[in-house]
Every structure is written in C-alpha cells, then in structure tokens.
Amino acid sequence: MPRTPKRRPVTALRAVALFGGALVFLFPFYYMFVGSLQAEPDTSPAGAFPTSGLTLDNYRDINARVDLLGSLVNSGIFTGGVIACTVVFGVLAGYALARLRFRGRGTLFALVLLVQVIPFQLLLIPLYVLIVRGYGLADSYLGMILPFAINTTAVFVFRQFFLQLPDELFAAARVDGAGELRVLWSVALPLVRPALLTVVLLTFIGPWNEFLWPFLVTKQADMQPLAVSLANYISNVAARAANPYGAVLAGACVLAAPAVGLFLAFQKHFVSTDIGSGVKG
C-alpha cells in the first residue's frame, strides 16, 4: 500500500536519526584514521578535518620499531587457534546438551552458565602456574591458546540453535541408520550456519584484542601478538618517535582493520537463517 502523507515525516525523521547515530558511531574510527595520517599532532577540533599535511610516515615509523607484519601473523595464529577450538568444542558440547539424553544434563548446563560469571582475571594465577610452570608452554602459541580453547558462550549459543531444529529431521536421519556424528555433520551443522558465523565473529574480538594473558606468557618480542607489541611500543618507544600520537593511532588502525573488515563482510549473516528450508509443509 502507498505511504500516507502523515507517515512520510515520521519516516524522514527516522532516517535522519539513524544517519546521525551512524555518524556518531563512525566518528571515532574516522578520527583515528585521520590522526594516523597527520605529520604533526593536532588534538584540537580542527585536527579532525585536516586540509593538508597527510602522510604515511607514522605507519613506516611504527613498522620500523614493532614489525607489524610479524605481530599480525602472531595475532592471526593466536586468534585462529582460539576460533578453531571454540567452534569444535562448542559444537560438540552444544549438540550433546541439546540433543542427547543423559543423566546430569541439566546440572552440566547449569555449570556451563555458572562458568560465565567467573572473571577471567580470577583464574590468571592458577592458569599461569599450570600452563607456564607446569606444562612449560611459555613463549608458545599453544600456551596462548589453551585458556581460551573452550568458550562457554559458544556452547550456550550452539545449544540454543540446536534446540530450535525440528525433531523430525533427527528422527529421519536415525531411521536411515545415521550415527550421532553423521547426524551432527550432515543434518545439524548445515542448518546452524548463522550460529557458526555468529560464534566466529564474537570469538574473534576477544583473542584479537587480548593483551593481559599473551603479555604474561610471552617474553620474546617475535612471539607477541599485535596488541602486546603496541602496548610495549607505547610504553617504551613512542616518546622518541617524530609523532608519537600519530604512530599510536597508526598502530590502532592496523589492529582494528581486520575486525572491522570481518564484521562488514559478514554482517548480513547475523540475521539470516536456513532452518526453515529443512522442513517441508
């Protein structure tokens, strides 16, 4: 039906409000990028709209002192390992809690929820003693990945998605002689693709920006992820740079770029779902 004249002003005001909110949200990213290109630091309001003096020297300076490529590789390996473990263990645990019948399932799920309220900082000392001193995994990718290998939030997300799937699909697969792993791989996983992408995106932010744990377990500069390398640069080297302010913003841009790009590429999958396509009638 065509829009009535009364609704047009409301729609226009809504569009203006959304556009203004988007500008407010994007302005910090814009200011960070512009500041990373300035030859001279300018923290005044006019510095947000420079007309000249833009350069890539800040990126060259921080790359000469930090090795951005090596730190990005370390961050990628650390984050990729955490995501892989989170998805594998999350899918298996979520499927078991949602679709398998065994004694103590409700209690186990309650414990999973209880773990979410325990701050990670509370576990730092026992984890450090266990992983670094007990297993000798200091300055290693495995030592960085292990504390984040199982994510209770991912288990909860997968469990809720598996519960929403129609029981008829699983019954039909079992009638055809499929085992539980076959049912999980061929029936359940294709239908929870939105959950997989959601878990990957939500998990990515944590290890990619993680500072405290990698800082504790890595002492060699060539093993440190980008967040730790940038923190060391800010505390030890930035004061001697030609434009410390711009160099720090340049490093922040490099750290933020993969996360922003990932969300922009896969944002539509947050709302998409293929659950209904598995059932006819």
Side-chain angles (χ1 to χ4, degrees):
M1 295 180 64
R3 296 179 180 176
T4 61
K6 294 182 179 180
R7 291 185 57 85
R8 290 177 181 174
V10 176
T11 304
L13 289 175
R14 185 182 303 167
V16 171
L18 291 175
F19 181 74
L23 289 180
V24 172
F25 175 78
L26 293 175
F27 183 77
F29 294 94
Y30 164 79
Y31 188 80
M32 177 177 64
F33 178 69
V34 169
S36 69
L37 298 176
Q38 293 179 350
E40 298 293 336
D42 186 358
T43 57
S44 65
F49 307 99
T51 57
S52 61
L54 300 182
T55 178
L56 295 176
D57 289 343
N58 294 323
Y59 290 90
R60 298 189 187 97
D61 182 78
I62 195 172
N63 184 59
R65 300 173 185 269
V66 170
D67 185 17
L68 289 178
L69 180 59
S71 298
L72 280 173
V73 171
N74 293 334
S75 293
I77 296 175
F78 172 40
T79 305
V82 171
I83 291 176
C85 294
T86 296
V87 170
V88 171
F89 294 126
V91 165
L92 294 176
Y95 180 82
L97 291 173
R99 289 295 168 181
L100 301 184
R101 300 291 184 266
F102 57 90
R103 181 174 297 179
R105 187 181 67 166
T107 303
L108 183 59
F109 180 62
L111 291 176
V112 170
L113 296 179
L114 181 62
V115 171
Q116 295 187 13
V117 304
I118 301 177
F120 177 73
Q121 291 77 7
L122 193 64
L123 306 175
L124 277 178
I125 295 178
L127 281 174
Y128 183 86
V129 173
L130 178 66
I131 293 177
V132 176
R133 297 186 179 180
Y135 297 154
L137 295 177
D139 289 311
S140 67
Y141 295 120
L142 186 59
M144 288 190 286
I145 293 172
L146 277 181
F148 307 96
I150 299 178
N151 190 321
T152 55
T153 301
V155 174
F156 176 79
V157 170
F158 282 122
R159 176 185 178 273
Q160 297 307 113
F161 267 81
F162 284 131
L163 285 175
Q164 295 176 14
L165 298 180
D167 294 334
E168 292 79 4
L169 294 175
F170 298 91
R174 293 188 179 97
V175 168
D176 291 338
E180 291 299 335
L181 289 179
R182 181 67 176 179
V183 172
L184 173 61
W185 180 260
S186 300
V187 177
L189 280 183
L191 298 178
V192 295
R193 190 177 306 167
L196 287 171
L197 293 173
T198 300
V199 167
V200 168
L201 292 176
L202 294 179
T203 304
F204 176 87
I205 296 298
W208 185 261
N209 294 326
E210 180 65 28
F211 165 76
L212 186 56
W213 178 253
F215 176 76
L216 291 176
V217 300
T218 57
K219 301 304 178 184
Q220 300 177 8
D222 58 349
M223 286 295 301
Q224 293 175 341
L226 185 57
V228 179
S229 298
L230 290 178
N232 291 334
Y233 172 83
I234 293 172
S235 60
N236 300 325
V237 185
R240 300 193 297 270
N243 183 3
Y245 178 75
V248 170
L249 290 180
C253 287
V254 175
L255 183 63
V260 173
L262 193 66
F263 271 93
L264 291 177
F266 294 101
Q267 61 178 338
K268 64 179 181 179
H269 295 285
F270 275 108
V271 295
S272 65
T273 177
D274 296 326
I275 294 178
S277 63
V279 183
K280 295 182 180 179

